[in-house]
Amino acid sequence: MSTNRRKMVEATEIVKIYGSFKALDRVSFDVFDGEKVVIIGPSGSGKSTLLRSINRLEVIDRGRILVDGIDINAAKTDITKIREEVGMVFQSFNLFPHKTVLENLTLAQIVVRKRSRQDAEERAMALLERVGLAEKAKAYPGKLSGGQQQRVAIARSLAMDPKMLLFDEPTSALDPEMIGEVLDVMKSVAREGMTMAVVTHEMGFAREVADRVIFMDAGRIVEEGTPEHFFTAPTHDRAKLFLSQIL
Amino acid sequence: MTNEAKKQIIDVGDGAAIPRKSDLGLFTAWRIAFFGAIGVLGYLAYTKPDPYLNILKFVPDGILVTFQVTLGAIGLAIVLGLITGLGRISKNRFFNGVASLYVEIIRGIPLLVQIFYIYYALGRVVKVPAVLSAIIAMAVCYGAYMGEVVRAGIESIAKGQNEAALSLGMNGRQTMLHVILPQAVKVILPPVGNEFIALLKDSSLVSIIAVADLLRRGREFASESFTYFETYTVIALVYLIITLFFSKIIGVLEERVSVNK
């Protein structure tokens, strides 16, 4: 990772507190343009909070987060402009159940990106083709399997042509036989050079796709490095323990 | 899965018993009551045209006024309810405060008192027809209840829907308009239907301020002919037939909405 590359995310000493619980305890980390960062750690370690603070679904209490050079928590920042560029894929898919698959992909393109319906639909169909669900364009999300819904959700994020994608445990709600199809789509997105931050328990995916693995525990980053380093020679005891339990 | 629309029925319960197919007892009772009421009314009018047929001929004007008040008030109440509901969930403290105050005050005053009050209060400023005054009074009252229905409907939509819309770059207004409200409408529809029926029944209260609705027409007839028992028998049956008719329609609408998607 050369340091002269542009930083998509630059988080400095961020703190998030729920009541008396420190979800994030002075965390600093960067994501470079085109980089794939996988964030792992036990539940409650703050990894989802970290991810969600990047598009300000969680508002941090202290510290600073720059996304593409813009301080997202500054008073003058229009957060919707940031969110247009930073897509998010959720554990529970969150497709809009009252809209068809196609409409799920076109809504924000039309409303936010101000594209014409025709342009939006063309873009949407191309993406549905890519995730292998073109024939489901007119279906409602409720008629799709979990894996299919998540692939649609990824396509929905891509339809905005974001600079970066955040994945918050995208396969955790899926039946085991559907995990593969979603990971395949994520890998293909990664191959095309998308900047990605992924919270996941899929160690195979981390090994294969990640440029860098971040291990979190108790609201802090305790270990950080390449997948080779992390999976073969972790230095921190907590990381070793976690790996021995999960692998 | 959290993105499956939460099934939630807000049963306000002051309207009418909606005959749902799942509730076989009510479903049967509806048939007996509805067709029974029509049968009894027809039998009475046929066998004793004086006074029953005469009463039936006298009250249709009143039925029209009752519908006029009910439809006018429900339309206005839905608008007020939407504004109030959005106010109640608003982060804007002023908007929220005004909406909450409205709900709190209106729910604390009996409807009958509100009808009198608005009639005479309005009368001091502008001269409005009694019917309009009645519609406003009913709408102001029901708007407060409707506001709570709208608020509950919006809050029943899963949080993930809001987050998904926001993460796509939509602002609060776009999210509400395109994602939350269309889903909330389905949840809100049954209780709104319920409120409609409740309002229809409560509209009989406006007979107190010189509005010639169904009840008032009945009273006029009765006091001239001294056939109080007979007249109120007819009035009660007519109200029953009307409310049962609408509760059936609402039941059918509910099923349509729940089958759809």
Side-chain angles (χ1 to χ4, degrees), chain B residues 9-248:
Chain B
I9 291 178
I10 308 161
D11 226 336
V12 178
D14 50 0
I18 307 291
R20 298 184 179 94
K21 281 216 177 88
S22 54
D23 188 338
L24 200 63
L26 262 187
F27 203 70
T28 313
W30 183 90
R31 289 186 181 175
I32 295 172
F34 185 71
F35 294 110
I38 291 175
V40 168
L41 211 51
Y43 174 78
L44 288 174
Y46 184 74
T47 55
K48 288 170 84 179
D50 181 25
Y52 289 108
L53 193 61
N54 295 339
I55 302 168
L56 272 175
K57 283 179 180 164
F58 191 79
V59 295
D61 293 0
I63 297 177
L64 279 182
V65 172
T66 291
F67 281 156
Q68 198 184 348
V69 171
T70 305
L71 290 175
I74 196 83
L76 203 54
I78 287 173
V79 174
L80 277 173
L82 199 58
I83 297 170
T84 310
L86 290 172
R88 294 270 288 136
I89 57 163
S90 172
K91 290 199 180 81
N92 179 319
R93 282 177 72 182
F94 176 75
F95 191 27
N96 191 317
V98 170
S100 302
L101 200 60
Y102 164 60
V103 170
E104 203 62 49
I105 290 174
I106 294 301
R107 293 182 69 156
I109 302 173
L111 176 55
L112 189 55
V113 176
Q114 286 179 44
I115 290 170
F116 271 130
Y117 191 82
I118 290 183
Y119 181 58
Y120 289 110
L122 272 179
R124 297 187 77 143
V125 194
V126 276
K127 186 129 182 66
V128 292
V131 174
L132 186 60
S133 172
I135 288 175
I136 292 172
M138 301 286 299
V140 165
C141 175
Y142 271 79
Y145 292 90
M146 210 69 92
E148 293 302 271
V149 170
V150 170
R151 182 181 63 86
I154 290 172
E155 285 177 349
S156 75
I157 304 304
K159 188 164 150 261
Q161 290 291 306
N162 193 44
E163 293 188 345
L166 294 179
S167 75
L168 286 163
M170 295 168 76
N171 61 32
R173 196 183 54 80
Q174 292 163 337
T175 300
M176 189 54 78
L177 197 64
H178 296 286
V179 176
I180 306 298
L181 278 182
Q183 296 185 61
V185 164
K186 284 189 191 175
V187 185
I188 290 170
L189 205 63
V192 166
N194 209 310
E195 291 290 285
F196 173 78
I197 290 171
L199 200 155
L200 197 148
K201 289 188 296 178
D202 277 352
S203 76
S204 61
L205 291 172
V206 306
S207 61
I208 211 87
I209 54 164
V211 174
D213 76 328
L214 176 56
L215 178 59
R216 177 126 186 156
R217 289 290 281 175
R219 240 169 54 195
E220 283 169 12
F221 188 94
S223 58
E224 277 171 25
S225 62
F226 301 104
T227 52
Y228 289 97
F229 170 74
E230 293 84 350
T231 307
Y232 287 124
T233 302
V234 172
I235 298 295
L237 286 170
V238 171
Y239 269 116
L240 183 62
I241 291 166
I242 294 172
T243 53
L244 287 175
F245 176 73
F246 281 111
S247 70
K248 181 70 178 177

Side-chain angles (χ1 to χ4, degrees), chain A residues 127-147:
Chain A
L127 284 163
L128 286 176
E129 197 78 50
R130 188 176 148 187
V131 300
L133 289 168
E135 79 283 8
K136 299 287 185 191
K138 296 273 180 265
Y140 284 90
K143 299 268 182 264
L144 271 54
S145 73

Side-chain angles (χ1 to χ4, degrees), chain A residues 11 13 23 103-104 112 115 134 153 158 160 184 202 214-215 231:
Chain A
E13 298 269 301
E103 288 164 347
N104 264 275
V112 179
R115 291 177 186 160
L158 289 172
M160 293 295 284
D184 285 344
E202 293 297 323
I214 289 175
F215 177 77
F231 288 109

Side-chain angles (χ1 to χ4, degrees), chain A residues 52 83 92 95 98 149 160, chain B residues 2-3 161 163 166 178:
Chain A
R52 290 161 56 84
R83 289 175 179 153
S92 50
L95 293 178
H98 62 300
Q149 290 194 47
M160 293 295 284
Chain B
T2 41
N3 85 321
Q161 290 291 306
E163 293 188 345
L166 294 179
H178 296 286

